[in-house]
Amino acid sequence: MQHATSCWLRRGIRPAGGNMPMKLGDVIRRDRSSHPPALTPGYKTSVLRSPRRALISIEPGPGENAGPIFKASMLGPLENDLIRNYGKTGEAIGERIIVHGKILDECGRPVPNALIEVWQANAGGRYRHVNDSYLAPLDPNFGGTGRCMSDAEGNYFFRTIRPGPYPWRNNGSDWRPAHIHISIFGHAFVQRLVSQLYFEGDPLVPLCPILNTLPDPAARERLIAKLDMGNTVPFDALAYRFDVVLRGRRQTFFENKPEGH
Amino acid sequence: MPIEYLKETPSQTGGPYVHIGLLPVAAGLAYGTQEQPHVLSGAGERIRIEGVVYDGSGHIVKDALIELWQADAEGKHNAGDFLGWGRASAAFDTGEWFFETIRPGIVPWRDGRPQARHVTLIIFARGINIHLHTRLYFPEDEAALEADPVLKSIEWVGRRKTLVATKVEGKPIPTYRLEINIQGDDETVFFDV
């Protein structure tokens, strides 16, 4: 993860005006070039599920700059441990891994108290979902979902097993790379983000029609978790690092009346 | 050279099994801490919001997941116990989704003008690469709808009605229905906010 060392906030530059108090203002406009377009025919389902009209741009109002406040007390004790949180007779089978990282905003500020939810297939690529009929078996001790909240420094972690690839009906038999779905709430509802993390070195990654909905190779690279040998648990689990960047907020320098419509 | 910020993590589709993580009960998993997130509790007038999502060929999107975000009855966010947020799944057989919530109060716009009462809805699904953001307004708020700053920012006047729900009569609590068309002639207005 490259930090925004050029961001003036991190360099400690104060705007002209001296001691004028600053407060966090609007969420910064979403840079849609960081994201996949809605219509990406290589991913066939997007053809009929993409708007044909342009999005209508509006400024964020008070409701958009706010978001739900989740509390750690809403989570159970094992929710970030997918190896054990569905265990009936033992632990899940597979390659034991820690997935960890930091939730930041675009200005490099840590985002504490972010709710992070994940879901994934088991080691054989089978999802525990009523609609998944892939022939690989379910693991009786693996549910495939977890949740946690980032700490005061924006850090989070899960313990899980590395998911297997699985085939899907797109171009004949396309295969998804190993991936974990991830959902994050920042502090503003318009920071909401759902994405997927992939694993460094997986040869299916460059072939994936879903990852390739991102036209920019640098954007695709940001979804690849890196092997992190410094954070393995000896004789227990490998580690992967995956940092997440949510939209930033601008500083409110002046209490100008915004332009109306 | 302009100042560089970190780049936002790119979005990816929620996929067909989004429920495992976001609504385990719908996927067939029992996790006690995530029951009934489509029912919001709080002080105020109880209402029901329901609908269906359609794709560009008029077919029902049966694997959609919808999240709701709204103010409390006083028009405030995070002012008390009201979470203001909910999550609902389309039924896998009919595609119907619903929330039970309270009627939101009036929230001022950026410049202090009142907005018409509304809830924010975002839609995730297989085939949707980045979630779609829209609003539901209430049909009886006619004067407020005329004056709403966000609705007025939609240049195509005829498209504004895609955000106004229909009142369903004869229900135990006031019930509002919004059909969301992702693509086509009656395409719902989606916002970049």
Side-chain angles (χ1 to χ4, degrees), chain A residues 217-235:
Chain A
R220 299 198 290 269
E221 185 64 24
R222 291 200 292 278
L223 293 182
I224 297 172
K226 299 296 189 292
L227 183 64
D228 179 7
M229 292 303 289
N231 276 299
T232 60
V233 182
F235 301 100

Side-chain angles (χ1 to χ4, degrees), chain A residues 2 27-28 35 43 46 59 81-82 87 122-123 128 137 142 153 156 161 173 181-182 205 239 247 253:
Chain A
Q2 175 204 344
V27 173
I28 295 171
H35 295 284
Y43 173 29
S46 75
E59 297 80 37
D81 185 354
L82 284 72
N122 68 21
R128 189 174 286 280
F142 187 72
E153 284 79 47
Y156 77 93
I161 54 97
S173 174
H181 295 266
I182 186 165
V205 161
R247 293 168 67 181
F253 301 129

